[in-house]
Amino acid sequence: MNRIVPVFFFSALMLFAGPLRAAAEGEAYIYPPGCPDNWYRQSWAIPLLKSFNTLGHALVGVTPCKARVIAPDATLTRLKSDGYIVERIPSKNLKVSGTYGTWNALGRRIMEITTGAQDVATVEVVGFTAEGLPMYAVLIAGEQSSELPVIRVTGAHHGNERISTEVALGILEWTLTAAGRSWLTSFRFHIIPVVNPEGYRDDRRFNSLDVDLNRDYGFGWESGQSTDPFSQNETRAMAFQSRLRPALFQIDFHSEATYVNTVFDYTPFASSDEPLVLDFAYVYASAADLTAVIGYDWYQATGSSQDFHYGMEGHFSYTIETLEPSSPVGIVTQNMEAFAALLPTLASHSFCGRLTDALTGEGVVGRLALAGQGQPFLTDTHGFFCRFAPEGNQTISYYAPGYEAGTFDVTVPSVDFTMISLDAVPPPFLPLAVIDMGDNDTYARFPTQNWPHYALSSADGLSFSLGKDGRITLDMGYATVDDAGDEFSVYEGDVDATQESVVCSLAQYPFGPFYLVGEFSGDFTVDIAAADLPWARYLRIESTGGTITDNHPGYDLDYALNHGLPAADVDEDNDGHSPLTDCDDTDGTRAPGMPESCDNKDTNCNGLYDEGFPRDEQGQVVCTDAGVDSGDTDAGTDASVDADGGDPGPPKKDGCTCNAGHSSETSAPLLLLIAFSMLLFIRRPS
């Protein structure tokens, strides 16, 4: 069988493609003559809006009669010739103003903030960009914190929105104060100041591949804005963090308005949690002098971070839009205070627990939902879950492939940790989750609600309409071995009288590669052997029929079933782990429990890179002969910061360049080219 080396969900093997720089680009307001209110809501404007769902283009905001866009100069010139009014917006150039940080200073600033706080703060790298720049993160957690909910703060999805990083760093500082530490018995804090290192380095909205990262997430994604949902290293890293440490609450900072932006961005229909979602938004908005707004009511955006984290994972997620003045101090202080003011409200509406195997006591990955609400939420990889709910008595349903489903009752807020033991049952099983969905005619504005979680249940009588050329990818629950007969079955709903056609593909890892199975219509079954794979877990269904004007356009997916057996006896890389637990079953050097190596790879499959190795004052990993914390008296602290008198030894050159991924803004282009070429050679999979 011809094998394609995949880019894995958990992989640290980055694709070192060189930057594809866009032509000269600019920011502008565009509008028709006369500036009619809400013209961008009209059907004739949809093609124009969709034209900004392409590489190097973005719709970034609206006023009552103007759309704010970023586009190459050639596009703006063409719009002007087509009769639109184009008002150019001068660049702020905050990067050189002296009051905002730069990429080269980011690692040093993080290390300075966390110095003296190693008892609660751990500096991490959660991913690498296409050019090898690290995605820094800081986990702030107290003792015995593994069963506490996570609050995540992110900045700089758009690299030119520099206030977002300043606010994230400000909140990081606050969490390490006495006031912040007092909350470490209730929460863990996870801060990712720059999601888009390349854009932050270059002072651009896009990364080096001209992708708007906040349009690359796999919920309501639209083709054109990237090649596939989660096409970029940065968004894949964020998706994995949401499974490794699901965020009970997440805020993503931006700088185009003065809003607390809530779900959903892509559809006018309200989330099932909207009253509580807005309650939290009002608390933050009041403290920060902002306005709470539902995303779609501002303007429609597809493939956003907040829609993904809520729509796919079920975790409350917000976009905070702030001003970006010449000095960030006032805005940072305002948002630090609002963040602190919100925490008591969050604590008064949460409950936590864990799904476990009744025989082994080990955690079970599953999904849950509040009674009367369709929106599911997922556990982490160890079965741990936390969720917000209205105060009072709540009934929660739970489901995990391989186990009997059920319900439990909880009183919110709950200080008790709810343990749920699950009994194993034989197949068939429903899917665990939706991995992505896109091109579902979101601009057509369905006359009825159309939620992807409709495809996860066979008993709700609801179907998810894929759209004329739309798609959905399902996690079928576990790595399923190819055996005699068909392993998966798919059922079309009866919401219309038409049997529509689809193309079906399979993959072993969430983001591919996907291998074609065939074209089908109506109900159908899937044999893994048809994709020439020994096992598979992810089922992609792509609609090839229907019209946009239908009430239920495209294939109407009712549900799918997994009839197959777990691939427990498969071990393609001979590392002692089957695909049920191995994050990369083609690489024998990567598996759960492997000792972490200093090689810019996630050796032990925990979503982190080179953790445990010391970092210098710039935040860069130092690869020591001693290895991870070797010879220390304090096993919880890196060798470089322990006061135990040991010399960690000189840096090694065993695949970790020690300064890997940190480029200089003043380096010559030739040196950069050579450096990245060397990294490409070093990191190429064997």
Side-chain angles (χ1 to χ4, degrees), residues 12 14 31 48 68 82-83 90 143 194 237 260 262 266 352 401 516 522 560 576 597 606 635 661 663-664 680:
M14 296 296 131
Y31 53 92
L48 175 65
R68 188 169 182 169
D82 288 343
E143 295 181 2
V194 175
V260 177
T262 69
Y266 86 105
C352 296
L516 179 66
S597 301
N606 70 347
S663 63
S664 169
L680 173 61

Side-chain angles (χ1 to χ4, degrees), residues 140-362:
I140 304 97
E143 295 181 2
Q144 309 299 321
S145 66
S146 61
E147 294 181 347
L148 292 179
V150 171
I151 293 179
R152 182 169 291 120
V153 176
T154 58
H157 265 93
H158 299 142
N160 61 337
E161 297 177 3
R162 309 189 78 77
I163 188 66
S164 63
T165 295
E166 301 301 319
V167 174
L169 291 174
I171 291 175
L172 170 59
E173 288 192 60
W174 179 85
T175 63
L176 299 176
T177 66
R181 284 172 176 256
S182 70
W183 284 101
L184 295 184
T185 57
S186 301
F187 301 113
R188 291 175 287 169
F189 300 107
H190 196 222
I191 316 295
I192 305 177
V194 175
V195 176
N196 181 2
E198 293 165 356
Y200 187 74
R201 177 198 63 193
D202 299 336
D203 205 25
R204 297 183 72 223
R205 181 182 179 92
F206 314 105
N207 70 0
S208 67
L209 301 177
D210 288 337
V211 173
D212 183 335
L213 297 180
N214 208 33
R215 303 293 184 269
D216 189 53
Y217 288 87
F219 191 86
W221 174 87
E222 290 284 328
S223 60
Q225 45 200 36
S226 56
T227 55
D228 277 294
F230 300 109
S231 67
Q232 302 300 294
N233 292 344
E234 299 92 331
T235 51
R236 292 184 180 192
M238 292 300 298
F240 180 62
Q241 287 303 307
S242 73
R243 296 307 316 277
L244 174 72
R245 300 188 186 111
L248 174 69
F249 183 84
Q250 177 162 319
I251 48 177
D252 183 34
F253 284 98
H254 290 259
S255 66
E256 291 296 341
T258 54
Y259 291 143
V260 177
N261 189 90
T262 69
V263 293
F264 284 104
D265 287 328
Y266 86 105
T267 178
F269 291 110
S271 71
S272 55
D273 290 290
E274 185 170 279
L276 194 56
V277 166
L278 287 175
D279 283 348
F280 294 165
Y282 294 143
V283 172
Y284 194 102
S286 176
D289 195 23
L290 302 172
T291 300
V293 63
I294 297 171
Y296 186 91
D297 290 346
W298 180 23
Y299 75 99
Q300 185 180 23
T302 55
S304 71
S305 170
Q306 74 166 23
D307 279 9
F308 160 71
H309 288 291
Y310 177 81
M312 294 300 195
E313 305 285 348
H315 310 303
F316 281 40
S317 187
Y318 297 77
T319 302
I320 309 295
E321 299 275 357
T322 74
L323 298 176
E324 193 166 48
S326 57
S327 173
V329 176
I331 296 295
V332 171
T333 301
Q334 201 172 41
N335 282 275
M336 289 167 58
E337 293 173 350
F339 183 81
L342 180 62
L343 295 181
T345 302
L346 300 184
S348 68
H349 288 83
S350 63
F351 64 94
C352 296
R354 192 179 185 214
L355 303 182
T356 62
D357 185 293
L359 290 179
T360 67
E362 296 180 353

Side-chain angles (χ1 to χ4, degrees), residues 521-608:
S521 62
D523 301 343
F524 62 93
T525 58
V526 177
D527 186 354
I528 294 174
D532 197 20
L533 292 171
W535 61 273
R537 177 168 177 171
Y538 300 95
L539 175 69
R540 175 167 289 176
I541 304 168
E542 300 176 81
S543 183
T544 61
T547 62
I548 292 180
T549 56
D550 290 340
N551 286 350
H552 302 278
Y555 188 85
D556 306 309
L557 176 60
D558 191 357
Y559 64 98
L561 289 176
N562 185 344
H563 304 269
L565 299 174
D569 297 327
V570 176
D571 185 7
E572 294 186 274
D573 57 5
N574 299 310
D575 60 6
H577 290 266
S578 78
L580 297 174
T581 58
D582 199 344
C583 60
D584 182 351
D585 205 39
T586 67
D587 186 347
T589 67
R590 302 181 62 226
M594 286 276 191
E596 188 69 9
S597 301
C598 193
D599 54 7
N600 288 348
K601 289 171 62 177
D602 176 18
T603 312
N604 57 8
C605 292
N606 70 347
L608 305 175

Side-chain angles (χ1 to χ4, degrees), residues 469-483:
D469 299 301
R471 68 162 82 171
I472 189 171
T473 304
L474 300 175
D475 180 348
M476 299 304 290
Y478 50 84
T480 305
V481 69
D482 176 35
D483 207 346

